[in-house]
């Protein structure tokens, strides 16, 4: 019986489903996780199409950086009590010794980029092996299907921690995709005086309202709100959304950028930035503190990712999943692969 399937992207636009007679064995300090579900996102599509930036993917690769599962085996020196635990895990394989890692900023590790699903084998597979130190354990009754979205939730948590929202502030979220809708949930928990989601699509706007937004606005409608918000969190990564986020902020306001635009995006107006005295921060990935925050919020019910899932496909349907993610269909939310 085959016990180890994985999707391997050999090179851009070339993939296959590989099989092995035995699952991978965890080494010292490692665990093997039986993957329950793994999310497919735009970054995975970039890996498949060959458009991911140089240095941020290494072929051949098993993609899959958003995942949940159950610890199935441990390697030498790893606590055997972990076996059976429901878990998610960090993707960055930080060095732990550089100055940034020592400061807890593992997503800024200066030893070079290494990440599960991009340069290391990922979770589009029956099993995933990773260092036990990267695990974030979940309650025994956790919904593992919903937990597969905790990686993007951790990115959003990093943005919210950086933004430091305060009660009664006016807040806007630019983009109502997976990141934006998770951001709405976390920001709603801070009791804002006003919470607006900006997105050109009807369905995400409706979802944003069910997650705590007071209203949804199209980009054209948002143009009437320039200079209104104490805090703006940008999640879309579209060509003009970083600039638009800065225009929405009031003088002296705060902006946090999480979206990754393609080359050629519209730049932020430096004069507006200086004259308005905006504080602009950015997020790429998530450090351990953000993961801990996201998993706590999930366990407490503040994060409810399950309604974002629209498609659940078997591992063999990787190609279809990638097409769905890039389809532009507003009815497509989070797509999961389930081994």
């Amino acid at each position: 019986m085959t016990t180890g399937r994985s999707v391997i992207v050999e090179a851009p636009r070339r993939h296959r489903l590989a099989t092995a007679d035995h699952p991978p064995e965890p080494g010292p300090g490692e665990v093997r996780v039986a993957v329950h579900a793994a999310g497919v996102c735009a970054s995975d599509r970039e890996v498949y199409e060959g458009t991911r930036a140089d240095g941020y993917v290494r072929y051949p690769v098993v993609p899959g950086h958003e995942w949940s599962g159950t610890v199935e085996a441990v390697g030498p020196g790893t606590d055997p009590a972990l076996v059976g635990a429901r878990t998610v895990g960090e993707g960055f394989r930080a060095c732990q010794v550089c100055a940034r890692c020592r400061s807890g900023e593992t997503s800024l590790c200066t030893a070079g980029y290494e990440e599960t699903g991009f340069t290391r084998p990922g979770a589009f597979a029956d099993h995933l092996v990773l260092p036990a130190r990267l695990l974030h354990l979940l309650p025994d009754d956790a919904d593992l299907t919903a937990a597969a979205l905790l990686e993007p939730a951790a990115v959003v948590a990093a943005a919210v921690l950086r933004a430091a929202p305060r009660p009664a502030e006016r807040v806007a979220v630019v983009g109502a995709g997976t990141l934006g809708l998770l951001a709405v949930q976390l920001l709603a928990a801070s009791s804002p005086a006003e919470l607006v989601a900006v997105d050109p699509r009807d369905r995400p706007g409706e979802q944003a309202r069910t997650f705590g937004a007071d209203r949804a606005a199209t980009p054209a409608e948002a143009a009437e709100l320039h200079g209104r918000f104490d805090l703006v969190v940008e999640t879309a990564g579209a060509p003009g959304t970083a600039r638009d986020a800065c225009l929405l902020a009031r003088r002296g306001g705060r902006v946090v950028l999480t979206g990754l635009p393609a080359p050629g995006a519209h730049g932020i107006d430096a004069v507006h930035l200086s004259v308005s005295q905006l504080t602009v921060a950015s997020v790429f990935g998530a450090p351990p503190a953000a993961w801990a925050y996201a998993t706590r919020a999930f366990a407490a019910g503040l994060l409810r990712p399950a309604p974002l899932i629209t498609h659940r496909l078997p591992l063999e349907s990787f190609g279809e999943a990638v097409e769905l993610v890039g389809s532009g269909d507003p009815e497509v939310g989070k797509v999961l692969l389930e081994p």
Side-chain angles (χ1 to χ4, degrees), residues 9-339:
V9 178
E10 300 277 9
R13 295 190 172 276
R14 283 176 41 206
H15 79 279
R16 62 185 176 91
L17 185 66
T19 59
D21 292 334
H22 302 283
E25 290 298 327
E30 293 183 330
V31 299
R32 182 176 73 234
V33 172
V35 178
H36 177 84
V40 184
C41 81
S43 297
D44 299 306
R45 184 175 175 86
E46 290 174 354
V47 169
Y48 177 71
E49 294 184 338
T51 57
R52 190 162 171 85
D54 290 344
Y56 288 88
V57 62
R58 188 162 57 236
Y59 300 101
V61 65
V62 178
H65 60 287
E66 305 176 3
W67 59 269
S68 63
T70 303
V71 177
E72 185 177 75
V74 299
T78 308
D79 185 358
L82 289 172
V83 174
R86 298 188 178 204
T87 191
V88 292
E90 299 174 35
F92 284 116
R93 305 296 184 92
C95 73
Q96 303 295 301
V97 296
C98 72
R100 297 278 58 79
C101 284
R102 294 284 189 177
S103 299
E105 300 171 313
T106 51
S107 59
L108 295 175
C109 177
T110 59
Y113 172 76
E114 295 283 352
E115 186 175 2
T116 298
F118 298 106
T119 64
R120 302 288 187 93
F124 293 165
D126 289 319
H127 305 95
L128 172 66
V129 171
L130 74 162
R133 62 179 170 80
L134 299 180
L135 298 180
H136 288 265
L137 303 184
L138 303 173
D140 292 340
D141 60 350
D143 178 353
L144 283 179
T145 301
L149 277 70
L150 282 176
E151 191 278 341
V155 174
V156 167
V160 172
L161 289 172
R162 181 70 63 90
R166 296 183 285 270
E169 288 192 312
R170 291 174 172 169
V171 181
V173 176
V174 178
T178 298
L179 288 178
L181 292 171
L182 291 169
V184 166
Q185 293 184 35
L186 281 183
L187 290 165
S190 69
S191 300
E194 180 180 17
L195 179 55
V196 176
V198 180
D199 197 284
R201 302 164 297 175
D202 291 336
R203 181 178 178 276
E206 293 170 2
Q207 277 193 298
R209 286 192 290 272
T210 67
F211 288 149
D214 297 297
R215 61 175 289 199
T218 66
E221 292 167 339
E224 303 298 319
L225 304 175
H226 285 178
R228 179 176 180 82
F229 298 97
D230 302 289
L231 169 64
V232 183
V233 177
E234 186 277 330
T235 67
T241 50
R243 178 197 60 192
D244 293 345
C246 291
L247 292 174
L248 286 167
R250 64 163 172 81
R251 291 170 62 86
R254 312 185 309 284
V255 178
V256 182
L257 308 176
T258 68
L260 289 176
H266 307 307
I268 296 172
D269 185 338
V271 173
H272 173 73
L273 188 69
S274 298
V275 171
S276 297
Q277 299 183 54
L278 300 182
T279 299
V280 179
S282 61
V283 167
F284 176 65
W291 274 92
Y293 177 28
T295 53
R296 285 199 309 272
F298 176 66
L302 296 177
L303 272 175
R304 294 172 286 116
L308 304 183
I309 301 167
T310 58
H311 294 76
R312 299 166 63 178
L313 303 174
L315 204 58
E316 296 85 352
S317 298
F318 169 74
E320 180 185 348
V322 169
E323 289 182 8
L324 281 169
V325 169
S327 68
D329 185 343
E331 296 303 312
V332 175
K334 175 53 67 174
V335 179
L336 299 183
L337 290 180
E338 297 180 320

